[in-house]
Amino acid sequence: MKDLSGKAISLGKILVAMYGITALLLFLFALLVQKLQFQAGVVSIGISIVYVLSCFVGGFLAGKIKSRRKFLWGLFMGVLYLLVMCGITLIMKRGTEGTFDGFVGNLLLCL
């Protein structure tokens, strides 16, 4: 039981690190967008790349912690990342109207 809680805490730390990486990369990308004034399509692609990079790092770290089924743990971290992000969106918008536009696409990106 002690080992299980330790690994759960480690996965929680990885999830927090994923959001920290996302925040840092989005901040740097926002500075780049402000400086170079990208079009909306380029901004959308850039945000998607930030999410993919964050999920990749989190999945890689989760795979390092878990010695077996590394790929599945990486997928789990991507799904967990997306679920937390959707939960935050639901809280901020106080409803589900228009919240799940592109959910499947975001799920595939996070996986």
Side-chain angles (χ1 to χ4, degrees):
M1 185 71 171
K2 187 177 182 181
D3 185 45
L4 181 65
S5 65
K7 289 189 178 185
I9 290 172
S10 296
L11 293 178
K13 288 179 183 179
I14 291 171
L15 188 62
V16 169
M18 289 169 71
Y19 282 108
I21 291 168
T22 301
L24 177 66
L25 290 176
L26 285 176
F27 176 74
L28 294 173
F29 186 64
L31 291 176
L32 193 64
V33 167
Q34 183 181 9
K35 183 79 172 169
L36 301 177
Q37 299 182 357
F38 292 134
Q39 295 176 357
V42 175
V43 172
S44 178
I45 291 170
I47 291 171
S48 296
I49 289 171
V50 166
Y51 289 151
V52 169
L53 288 174
S54 299
C55 288
F56 177 77
V57 169
F60 182 78
L61 292 174
K64 285 292 205 182
I65 288 177
K66 304 291 187 175
S67 59
R68 297 182 57 197
R69 300 181 181 158
K70 295 177 181 185
F71 183 74
L72 292 176
W73 281 105
L75 287 175
F76 173 74
M77 290 305 295
V79 169
L80 190 60
Y81 177 88
L82 181 66
L83 290 176
V84 170
M85 194 164 45
C86 286
I88 292 170
T89 301
L90 287 173
I91 291 169
M92 297 301 285
K93 285 191 172 184
R94 294 182 178 18
T96 60
E97 186 177 326
T99 301
F100 295 103
D101 294 343
F103 179 79
V104 173
N106 287 332
L107 177 63
L108 292 175
L109 286 175
C110 290
L111 290 178

